[in-house]
């Protein structure tokens, strides 16, 4: 397993139902880049991880962790929280950045 | 069915709102205190369900200083059957985590089938209490609903998120939060105001709920700095001398508004 930089900042990306990055992604990744190394987490529908990762990389994400799951279409909050908890345990980031949106607050 | 509605006393948004620059606490004397409008809408969701169905009990609950009792009583005047007020000086500077732990303990003590809250308060605008409560109470959450249908055993609704609208539903017991899309609340009438005086009004301390506000084994947020909001500066006036449109466009581009 690859090591993650000690100054990793874990950025939780939000995606729209059509597989685009939410508009908050650019701001979150830019903010993360100012205080450390941006590591992005994307929880997506099956088949969307690669394109989301490329979009996030274009916005400055150094690494992207992606989870492809059908559960985001049937469950609120829990799939994201589970993925975030697992990612935070793996990366041990200095901070976690989340959008102040309806899903982000959950 | 028992519905617990969380209500909050907030400074009136029409007045000036201030924080005490020494303690960082809301300066409650600086503005008129009112029941948050989103709390009233949350209460309306519960009350209109109670109007249309038998055996629905609505409880208004709040964690607030003792002085907020009058505001909470407005919930009784509107039609809630009883109120629970958690008032404890030790909770004065509670962060979101402590607030959620305290409210969850009170909700468990009261018992519930459904908890209804506003999506965001107008003063703190944290918006995370509903999800925290659902986690602590170990029940599903459905937040930011712009329409709500309550039935025997489940709750469902519409949820607006970035890029779409969801239909969600959850089995009861559950926690939901609602948005301003839901209807305005009813006004308390004279009969309601008189009846409110006889309704049960329970006041609890943190100790009654087994909550230790100074428990340092739990992570908490600490305020490190506070400053008064700078006065709003005057806007830019653009006088049209034939180039008004261009100058407005330039202004918007310069300020990254387009």
């Amino acid at each position: 397993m690859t090591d993650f930089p000690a100054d990793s900042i874990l950025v939780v990306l939000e995606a729209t139902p059509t597989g685009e990055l939410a508009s908050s992604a650019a701001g979150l990744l830019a903010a993360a880049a100012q205080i450390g190394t941006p590591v992005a987490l994307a929880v997506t529908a099956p088949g969307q991880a690669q394109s989301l990762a490329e979009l996030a990389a274009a916005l400055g994400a150094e690494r992207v962790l992606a989870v492809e799951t059908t559960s985001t279409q049937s469950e609120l909050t829990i799939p994201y929280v589970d993925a975030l908890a697992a990612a935070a345990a793996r990366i041990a980031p200095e901070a976690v950045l989340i959008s102040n949106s309806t899903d982000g607050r959950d | 069915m028992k519905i617990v509605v969380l209500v909050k006393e907030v400074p009136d948004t029409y007045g000036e709102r201030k924080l005490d620059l020494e303690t960082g606490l809301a300066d409650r004397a600086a503005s008129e205190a009112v029941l948050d409008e989103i709390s009233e809408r949350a209460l309306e969701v519960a009350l209109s369900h109670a109007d249309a169905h038998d055996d629905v009990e609505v409880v208004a609950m709040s964690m607030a200083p003792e002085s907020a009792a009058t505001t909470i009583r407005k919930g009784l005047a509107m039609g809630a059957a009883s109120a629970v007020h958690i008032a404890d000086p030790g909770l004065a500077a509670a962060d979101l985590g402590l607030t959620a732990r305290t409210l969850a303990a009170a909700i468990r003590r009261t018992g519930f089938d459904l908890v209804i809250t506003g999506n965001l308060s107008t003063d703190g605008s944290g918006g995370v209490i509903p999800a925290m409560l659902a986690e602590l109470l170990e029940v599903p959450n459905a937040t930011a609903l712009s329409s709500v249908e309550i039935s025997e055993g489940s709750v469902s609704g519409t949820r607006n998120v970035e890029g779409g609208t969801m239909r969600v539903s959850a089995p009861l017991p559950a926690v939901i939060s609602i948005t301003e899309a839901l209807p305005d609340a009813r006004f308390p009438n004279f009969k309601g105001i008189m009846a409110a005086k006889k309704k049960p009004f329970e006041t609890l301390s943190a100790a009654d709920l087994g909550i230790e506000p100074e428990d340092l084994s739990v992570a908490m947020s600490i305020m490190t700095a506070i400053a008064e909001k700078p006065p709003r500066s005057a806007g830019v006036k653009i006088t049209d001398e034939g180039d008004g449109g261009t100058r407005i466009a330039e202004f918007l581009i310069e300020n990254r508004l387009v």
Side-chain angles (χ1 to χ4, degrees):
Chain A
M1 189 60 218
T2 31
D3 286 330
F4 288 89
D7 66 346
S8 289
I9 306 295
L10 183 56
V11 174
V12 180
L13 300 175
E14 283 178 31
T16 64
T18 49
E20 306 279 316
L21 276 182
S23 56
S24 58
L28 289 174
L29 288 166
Q34 284 178 8
I35 51 174
T37 305
V39 177
L41 171 69
V43 182
T44 76
Q48 293 180 350
Q50 186 62 32
S51 63
L52 269 187
E54 284 165 13
L55 290 170
L59 292 172
E62 299 272 338
R63 307 270 183 89
V64 180
L65 306 181
V67 184
E68 288 192 341
T69 169
T70 52
S71 60
T72 54
Q73 284 150 43
S74 55
E75 281 178 76
L76 293 178
T77 317
I78 305 295
Y80 298 94
V81 174
D82 286 351
L84 175 55
R90 173 75 57 86
I91 299 166
E94 292 209 303
V96 177
L97 288 188
I98 303 176
S99 169
N100 183 15
S101 63
T102 301
D103 282 331
R105 289 190 289 265
D106 282 1
Chain B
M1 178 186 293
K2 193 184 255 186
I3 304 179
V4 176
V5 180
L6 297 187
V7 297
K8 189 175 184 189
E9 181 185 83
V10 297
D12 195 340
T13 47
Y14 287 107
E16 196 174 351
R17 293 178 286 177
K18 281 192 167 170
L19 293 179
D20 185 314
L21 294 182
E22 261 177 44
T23 61
L25 303 178
D27 182 351
R28 286 175 189 267
S31 44
E32 202 183 335
V34 295
L35 189 57
D36 202 348
E37 191 193 303
I38 198 73
S39 301
E40 295 187 353
R41 288 177 199 259
L43 199 49
E44 182 61 39
V45 171
L47 293 174
S48 48
H49 183 70
D51 287 346
H53 298 82
D54 291 334
D55 299 325
V56 176
E57 183 192 346
V58 179
V59 183
M61 183 180 285
S62 192
M63 174 178 133
E66 220 168 314
S67 58
T70 324
T71 304
I72 298 164
R73 268 187 201 283
K74 188 183 174 192
L76 295 179
M78 285 169 66
S82 62
V84 178
H85 181 187
I86 306 134
D88 193 315
L91 294 168
D95 67 356
L96 291 159
L98 177 55
T99 304
R101 280 193 288 128
T102 307
L103 287 170
I107 293 166
R108 268 191 209 280
R109 184 178 183 277
T110 298
F112 71 105
D113 295 294
L114 179 62
V115 177
I116 308 181
T117 80
N119 60 337
L120 282 177
S121 63
T122 52
D123 57 348
S125 25
V128 297
I129 291 289
M132 284 175 150
L133 287 177
E135 175 72 14
L136 292 169
L137 296 168
E138 299 176 68
V139 298
N141 74 327
T143 52
L145 301 184
S146 52
S147 73
V148 178
E149 299 99 52
I150 302 165
S151 64
E152 202 57 48
S154 77
V155 58
S156 50
T158 313
R159 185 168 184 270
N160 296 325
V161 289
E162 178 146 335
T165 303
M166 294 175 178
R167 283 286 309 165
V168 296
S169 75
L172 298 181
V175 176
I176 64 167
S177 75
I178 56 115
T179 72
E180 287 181 338
L182 279 147
D184 273 336
R186 63 195 65 189
F187 285 105
N189 57 23
F190 183 70
K191 200 173 142 216
I193 293 166
M194 293 312 288
K197 297 183 185 194
K198 295 191 187 113
K199 287 178 176 172
F201 191 103
E202 195 175 18
T203 306
L204 301 173
S205 67
D208 292 335
L209 296 167
I211 296 288
E212 167 53 66
E214 306 274 304
D215 183 357
L216 296 177
S217 67
V218 185
M220 47 174 102
S221 32
I222 297 169
M223 184 190 70
T224 54
I226 182 168
E228 194 155 4
K229 194 161 70 175
R232 276 179 73 170
S233 53
V236 180
K237 258 189 201 161
I238 295 176
T239 316
D240 186 16
E241 290 163 353
D243 60 347
T246 317
R247 287 171 62 197
I248 288 173
E250 279 169 3
F251 175 82
L252 293 174
I253 292 164
E254 193 183 318
N255 289 282
R256 297 179 167 209
L257 297 170
V258 281

